[in-house]
């Protein structure tokens, strides 16, 4: 909780941003210099994804993880992005289309509203203790173990609960400890604040030229202050980072289906690949949004489906280094023990009912799921049906995935008690997706089916 | 009447109604934002103030305050066991001052709090939570705190 620790953390995350900007340039996502600012949030998440994947591979291969490794890999990722981009003949042009003045004013009001809340949240984050049970029970101890041992420590990793959980968040925590100069678990919460900031910037940056500001900002600002979000946004756990990656990837996939720009698909693949090694349900969530994209692209399935299958393959392959490492060290994966007996039992119905109840509960999510449902229906009637299909299928599958937890793992009670069942945390990702797709759905309805939005 | 025209257009089927539906959705989102934002802002401000008011120890223990009872045991052990050294945790019957979480989870919290010190069986240091000293022959008590917490060290 010192200025030096804060500065170190800021420099580390500036490194994520720099590396991610270079990666986005290499993918062909930046045409203008100003776009680097607009898409800074996406670049930041890409930087985390690329480095998260690279660091997982390096640590699984036994490469020592210290400050030198952190700095060198960030530098290499940035340099590789620039070299690949230049090699592809890409360059950044000056200038970019300026948005209308009225939209600028509404956007400024939205940024101010979100910024004010983030400021007070930052003051809380920089002195926040480690309260979350999962945080001190296994997420942060694994990060401390990597920091102190300079790599995956088999003894500590095997001793903590959920030993086979994917390692990206502990690696990012260890990188933060190196940047801060100590295992400062208090200032570490600023890292989770930065994740949230980067995600909001990514969503706003991707949608700001495709959605009118007066439709975009109420939804973006509301998601930040939802009762459930404000209670857990700073928790030193992997849930929100996974949600940020999957939701941003879902937006990119939706845009790709409409605009067919390859960089959107490639960026989504990187985000989903990192999500797969952030939490073990990362692959399931990736499958849900890819299934939504597959249904939405039914009419162009010969073109879209092989590419979507390739994204799924990339996400699956990203899990291999970690799986090889933990299996080689005698750590067993956690597979559910539920079988067909549980699947066709009353428990399945109860789990489904619980998942729907949690999603519909306005006490946690305010009006977001309700307005999201209305937006899907409106989009199906008057807007872009492919967008409605994507959102409907993805949200439906995510809800089913949440419900399946207590079916696959019969020892988990069918209850919304967070100490027993992760359904509330899982539903958080679904609500985040709904909140971020709603502006796009409503913008499509506002413009009408014949209109094309600016890309 | 010219000013009323945009409003009347919103009642035309289907384009007006389509846009009216979007306006209604956004209005509900804005109303929800107006309701949630002040509460969230106050809660975050209040949390920032209470975080700032915590002692260094309470901030460092945070969730552990619901587990460890007397903070002194872990602090003392952190001073006694060198980084890279090892210790074990021995827990007996719950004592006064403990919470329901103390007995089952104090080994977990100690593992997190004391890293890079290792929690292993047969270590030269024992964090004793109401443990039976007779179960640790060759050890002597080197520190005693409140809530029936002590530290044993191997002699010789």
């Amino acid at each position: 909780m010192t200025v030096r620790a804060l500065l170190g953390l800021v420099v580390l995350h500036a490194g994520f941003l720099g590396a991610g900007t270079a990666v986005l340039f290499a993918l062909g996502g930046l045409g203008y210099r100003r776009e680097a600012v607009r898409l800074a949030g996406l670049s930041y998440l890409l930087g985390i994804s690329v480095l998260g994947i690279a660091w997982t591979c390096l640590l699984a291969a036994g490469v020592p993880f210290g400050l030198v490794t952190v700095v060198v890999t960030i530098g290499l990722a940035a340099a590789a992005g620039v070299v690949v981009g230049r090699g592809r003949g890409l360059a950044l042009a000056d200038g970019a289309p300026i948005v209308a003045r009225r939209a600028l004013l509404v956007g400024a009001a939205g940024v101010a509203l979100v910024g004010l809340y983030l400021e007070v949240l930052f003051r809380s984050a920089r002195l926040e203790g480690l309260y979350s049970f999962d945080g001190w029970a296994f997420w942060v101890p694994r990060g401390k173990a990597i920091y102190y041992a300079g790599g995956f420590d088999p003894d500590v990793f095997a001793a903590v609960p959920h030993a086979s959980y994917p390692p990206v968040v502990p690696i990012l925590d260890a990188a933060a400890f190196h940047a801060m100069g100590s295992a400062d678990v208090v200032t570490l919460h600023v890292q989770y604040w930065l994740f949230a900031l980067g995600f909001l910037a990514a969503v706003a940056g991707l949608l700001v030229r495709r959605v009118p500001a007066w439709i975009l900002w109420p939804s973006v600002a509301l998601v930040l202050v939802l009762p459930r979000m404000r209670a857990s946004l700073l928790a030193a756990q992997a849930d929100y980072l996974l949600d940020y990656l999957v939701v941003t990837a879902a937006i990119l996939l939706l845009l790709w289906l409409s605009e067919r720009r390859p960089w959107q698909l490639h960026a989504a693949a990187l985000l989903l690949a990192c999500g797969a090694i952030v939490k073990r349900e990362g692959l399931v969530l990736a499958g849900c949004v890819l299934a939504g994209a597959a249904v939405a692209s039914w009419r162009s399935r010969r073109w879209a489906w092989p590419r979507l299958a390739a994204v799924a393959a990339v996400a699956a392959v990203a899990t291999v280094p970690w799986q090889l490492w933990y299996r080689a060290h005698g750590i067993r994966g956690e597979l559910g023990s539920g079988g067909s007996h549980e699947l066709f039992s009353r428990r399945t119905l109860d789990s489904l009912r619980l998942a729907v109840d949690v999603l519909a509960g306005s006490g946690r999510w305010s009006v977001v799921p309700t307005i999201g449902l209305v937006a899907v229906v409106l989009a199906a009637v008057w807007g872009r049906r492919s967008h409605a299909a994507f959102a409907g299928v993805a949200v439906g599958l995510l809800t089913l995935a949440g419900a399946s937890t207590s079916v696959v793992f019969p020892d988990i009670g069918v209850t919304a008690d967070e100490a027993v069942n992760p359904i509330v945390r899982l539903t958080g990702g679904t609500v985040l997706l709904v909140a971020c797709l709603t502006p796009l759905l409503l913008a499509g309805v506002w413009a009408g089916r014949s209109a094309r939005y600016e890309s | 009447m010219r000013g009323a025209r945009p409003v009347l257009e919103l009642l035309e089927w289907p384009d007006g109604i389509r846009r009216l539906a979007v306006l209604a959705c956004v209005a509900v989102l804005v109303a929800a934002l107006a309701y949630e934002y002040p509460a969230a802002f106050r809660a975050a401000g209040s949390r920032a103030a209470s975080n700032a008011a915590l002692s260094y120890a309470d901030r460092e223990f945070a969730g552990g305050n619901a587990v460890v009872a007397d903070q002194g045991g872990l602090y003392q052990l952190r001073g006694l066991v060198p980084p890279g050294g090892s210790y074990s945790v021995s827990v007996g019957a719950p004592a006064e001052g403990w919470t329901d979480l103390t007995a089952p989870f104090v080994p977990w919290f100690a593992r997190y709090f004391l890293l890079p010190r290792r929690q292993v069986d047969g270590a030269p240091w024992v964090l004793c939570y109401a443990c039976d000293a007779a179960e640790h022959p060759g050890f002597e008590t080197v520190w005693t705190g409140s809530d029936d917490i002590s530290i044993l060290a191997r002699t010789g």
Side-chain angles (χ1 to χ4, degrees):
Chain A
M1 56 201 105
T2 61
V3 174
R4 185 244 180 271
L6 275 175
L7 278 176
L9 206 52
V10 168
V11 169
L12 174 70
H13 285 256
F16 293 151
L17 174 61
T21 303
V23 169
L24 188 57
F25 171 66
L27 294 178
L30 297 177
Y32 297 95
R33 289 185 202 281
R34 281 186 192 154
E35 278 185 331
V37 177
R38 179 170 66 84
L39 297 177
L42 175 62
S43 298
Y44 171 76
L45 292 182
L46 279 174
I48 287 174
S49 299
V50 168
L51 290 162
I53 294 166
W55 286 342
T56 300
C57 293
L58 291 176
L59 267 72
V63 175
F65 188 75
L67 193 57
V68 173
T69 313
V70 170
V71 172
V72 168
T73 44
I74 289 175
L76 282 176
V82 173
V83 169
V84 170
R86 289 269 170 90
R88 294 180 60 200
L90 301 171
L92 296 181
D94 285 327
I98 304 291
V99 291
R101 185 170 293 173
R102 197 187 302 168
L104 209 60
L105 284 175
V106 178
V111 169
L113 209 59
V114 169
L116 270 175
Y117 183 68
L118 284 174
E119 186 278 329
V120 73
L121 209 60
F122 171 79
R123 284 193 280 120
S124 179
R126 78 183 184 86
L127 293 175
E128 180 87 3
L130 184 54
Y131 290 97
S132 71
F133 180 87
D134 287 2
W136 62 255
F138 57 91
W139 288 114
V140 177
R142 299 199 310 161
K144 285 174 96 172
I146 294 170
Y147 170 68
Y148 286 118
F152 295 147
D153 184 328
D155 294 337
V156 176
F157 272 58
V160 297
H162 308 302
S164 66
Y165 269 24
V168 164
V169 165
I171 294 173
L172 293 173
D173 287 351
F177 293 149
H178 282 297
M180 291 187 290
S182 69
D184 181 348
V185 298
V186 172
T187 310
L188 179 67
H189 290 84
V190 174
Q191 172 149 283
Y192 293 83
W193 179 86
L194 286 164
F195 291 159
L197 173 66
F199 168 68
L200 289 169
V203 172
L206 283 170
L207 298 184
V208 72
R209 284 175 53 199
R210 296 170 170 95
V211 176
W214 61 272
I215 295 179
L216 173 63
W217 284 102
S219 202
V220 170
L222 180 59
V223 77
L224 189 61
V225 297
L226 291 176
R228 162 67 190 169
M229 295 290 280
R230 63 191 189 225
S232 59
L233 200 67
L234 299 175
Q237 298 179 184
D239 301 87
Y240 280 118
L241 180 60
L242 173 62
D243 295 342
Y244 300 156
L245 296 172
V246 171
V247 171
T248 308
I251 294 171
L252 283 165
L253 286 172
L254 202 56
L255 298 179
W256 173 72
L257 289 174
S258 305
E259 302 168 10
R260 300 198 174 190
R261 296 184 175 182
W263 73 263
Q264 293 164 335
L265 182 71
H266 300 154
L270 282 173
L271 297 176
L272 292 177
C274 184
I277 45 175
V278 166
K279 283 200 83 183
R280 59 183 176 170
E281 61 261 38
L283 267 182
V284 177
L285 303 195
C288 292
V289 295
L290 287 169
V295 171
S297 60
W298 172 259
R299 286 185 178 174
S300 52
R301 56 188 176 279
R302 287 194 178 175
W303 170 80
W305 286 11
R307 290 165 173 81
L308 293 172
V311 173
V314 168
V317 167
T319 65
V320 170
W322 168 242
Q323 288 197 39
L324 289 176
W325 185 89
Y326 79 70
R327 287 177 203 281
H329 288 82
I331 295 171
R332 294 176 61 189
E334 291 175 82
L335 293 174
S337 57
S340 56
H341 175 70
E342 278 78 17
L343 187 62
F344 300 107
S345 68
R346 184 180 172 79
R347 186 178 174 83
T348 301
L349 276 179
D350 291 342
S351 300
L352 270 174
R353 194 174 297 124
L354 174 68
V356 174
D357 285 349
V358 169
L359 181 63
S362 61
R364 294 187 183 92
W365 322 111
S366 184
V367 298
V368 168
T370 310
I371 294 298
L373 180 64
V374 172
V376 169
V377 172
L378 291 176
V381 177
W382 284 314
R384 290 171 164 266
R385 286 197 176 133
S386 61
H387 286 191
F390 179 94
V393 170
V395 169
L397 288 177
L398 286 170
T399 306
L400 282 177
S404 71
T405 309
S406 43
V407 178
V408 176
F409 296 94
D411 52 327
I412 293 179
V414 184
T415 167
D417 182 349
E418 291 196 54
V420 178
N421 191 317
I423 184 68
V424 173
R425 275 185 283 138
L426 293 170
T427 307
T430 311
V431 172
L432 214 53
L433 180 68
V434 170
C436 295
L437 293 185
T438 295
L440 208 51
L441 294 169
L442 292 178
V445 176
W446 181 261
R449 192 163 287 153
S450 56
R452 291 185 64 83
Y453 57 79
E454 183 188 7
S455 62
Chain B
M1 291 303 286
R2 258 177 94 183
R5 194 170 167 183
V7 177
L8 291 174
E9 282 178 356
L10 286 175
L11 299 176
E12 289 174 5
W13 180 266
D15 287 352
I17 299 299
R18 166 171 63 79
R19 294 194 157 196
L20 193 61
V22 174
L23 284 172
C25 286
V26 174
V28 172
L29 288 170
V30 169
L33 181 62
Y35 177 77
E36 299 289 357
Y37 190 91
F41 198 87
R42 273 195 304 273
S46 160
R47 185 152 183 169
S50 61
N51 282 348
L54 285 175
S55 69
Y56 183 89
D58 282 340
R59 193 179 300 138
E60 189 180 22
F61 273 86
N65 280 319
V67 176
V68 300
D70 180 10
Q71 297 170 340
L74 285 169
Y75 268 144
Q76 286 292 330
L77 197 62
R78 194 161 73 176
L80 290 167
V81 182
S86 60
Y87 66 94
S88 61
V89 181
S90 182
V91 182
E96 199 176 325
W98 295 15
T99 69
D100 291 343
L101 301 175
T102 304
F105 294 115
V106 76
W108 292 26
F109 190 81
R111 183 185 296 118
Y112 146 72
F113 190 83
L114 294 171
L115 270 169
R117 297 152 193 86
R118 305 301 179 104
Q119 192 176 116
V120 295
D121 292 334
W125 301 90
V126 178
L127 177 61
C128 171
Y129 269 68
C131 69
D132 182 359
E135 289 181 3
H136 301 279
F139 283 76
E140 64 177 9
T141 304
V142 294
W143 178 87
T144 304
S146 55
D147 302 330
D148 216 352
I149 300 168
S150 58
I151 294 173
L152 313 180
R154 187 177 285 147
T155 55

